[in-house]
Amino acid sequence: MPWIVGVSGASGTPYAAAVLRALLVGGESVDLVVSRASRLTLLDETGISFRDAHWQDDLREWLGRGADGKPGTFDVDIDAVRYWAAGDLAAGPSSGSYPAKGMIIVPASTACVAGVALGLSKDLLQRAASVTLKERRTLVVAVRETPLNGQTLRHLVTLDDLGAAVVPASPAFYAGATHIQDLVDFVAGRVLDAAGAAHGLYRRWEGELGGGSGSRDTGTRGTETRGTGTGDTGTRDT
C-alpha cells in the first residue's frame, strides 16, 4: 500500500522533496498530490514548473535538487510514484476503499490546515486528508508558518483531536548540522517518525551531551545514512 503525500502551498518545498526521497529509497510506494498553490511556491523556490502532462520529468528534476538549489545533487528513482492531479476528485485517494498506509502533508499551509480541520474537501489534497481521518489512518500534518494566530492554533488542536499528528517544520541543531540539507533532513525525518516510516535522515539523540558539536569538529555531517536515506550520490558540495 502506498503513502499518500500531499504538497500544499506553504514555503518549504525542500521538506517535501526530502520526505519523498526518503520514502522512495526506503522501498515505499507513493501517491503524490501537488496542490495548485504549491506549484507557485515550487516555481518560486526552485524555478521548476510542475506540469500535469510532464510530471515525471518535473518531479525527477525537483527531487534531484539539494536544499541549496543545486541540481543533480540526488539520483532518485521515481518508478514507485503515482501522481494524481489536485483537481481530480474521482482519483483513488478520494475514496476510503482505496488502500493506503496513511497520508503526509508536507509542507502544510494554514489554508490547508483550515480546510482539513473543517472538512472542506475543496481539492483532492483536502479530500484525501479527510478520507484518511475518517478511515482512522495515520495523518501527519507538517505545518509551516510563523507566527501562528489563534484561528490556526484552534484548527491544529482540532486536527490533533481527530487523531492527526501535527509536526511543526522546526529544525533542531543537536544533530550536528553543517549544511542546509541537514536542517531540512531533520524536519523530514521527524515527519517520517510521526508517520512510522523508517529512514536514516538525521543523527538521533543518544543521551550524550556534545554529540552534535563533535560531529562538526570531525567534519562529519551528523547523519549516518547519507546516501541510503536520501539517495545521495555523493556529489553534493559540503
Side-chain angles (χ1 to χ4, degrees):
M1 292 189 294
W3 282 99
I4 302 169
V5 176
V7 185
S8 77
S11 176
T13 55
Y15 295 132
V19 166
L20 288 166
R21 284 193 299 263
L23 287 173
L24 294 173
V25 169
E28 300 283 0
S29 297
V30 173
D31 278 24
L32 177 63
V33 182
V34 179
S35 76
R36 290 186 175 91
S38 70
R39 297 174 190 232
L40 298 176
T41 307
L42 184 63
L43 179 63
D44 183 55
E45 294 184 345
T46 69
I48 297 171
S49 297
F50 198 91
R51 303 158 294 176
D52 288 345
H54 304 281
W55 69 266
Q56 293 99 330
D57 293 336
D58 298 336
L59 180 62
R60 193 175 290 110
E61 181 182 0
W62 176 26
L63 299 189
R65 289 177 182 257
D68 58 2
K70 183 179 179 181
T73 300
F74 299 98
D75 184 16
V76 184
D77 183 353
I78 64 169
D79 287 346
V81 178
R82 185 174 187 179
Y83 173 72
W84 302 94
D88 185 5
L89 291 177
S94 67
S95 172
S97 65
Y98 185 80
K101 289 184 176 180
M103 183 174 183
I104 300 169
I105 305 176
V106 56
S109 66
T110 55
C112 175
V113 166
V116 176
L118 297 173
L120 298 182
S121 296
K122 73 169 189 176
D123 61 8
L124 179 59
L125 194 159
Q126 292 185 15
R127 172 59 185 168
S130 294
V131 168
T132 301
L133 289 173
K134 80 179 183 69
E135 295 296 323
R136 301 297 191 266
R137 297 169 183 161
T138 297
L139 175 63
V140 180
V141 180
V143 61
R144 215 308 306 166
E145 183 63 87
T146 190
L148 296 171
N149 63 27
Q151 187 176 44
T152 298
L153 290 170
R154 285 187 287 272
H155 289 150
L156 292 173
V157 170
T158 296
L159 291 179
D160 179 77
D161 289 342
L162 292 171
V166 176
V167 183
S170 302
F173 296 87
Y174 62 78
T178 60
H179 189 278
I180 186 175
Q181 189 68 54
D182 297 318
L183 297 175
V184 168
D185 285 350
F186 179 87
V187 171
R190 295 299 289 148
V191 169
L192 292 169
D193 287 345
H199 69 88
L201 288 176
Y202 68 91
R203 173 186 172 276
R204 296 184 180 277
W205 177 251
E206 297 178 348
E208 296 181 5
L209 294 176
S213 61
S215 296
R216 288 191 292 272
D217 292 341
T218 58
T220 62
R221 295 290 302 282
T223 54
E224 65 278 6
T225 54
R226 196 68 67 175
T228 57
T230 58
D232 196 342
T233 62
T235 60
R236 180 167 60 250
D237 180 11
T238 59

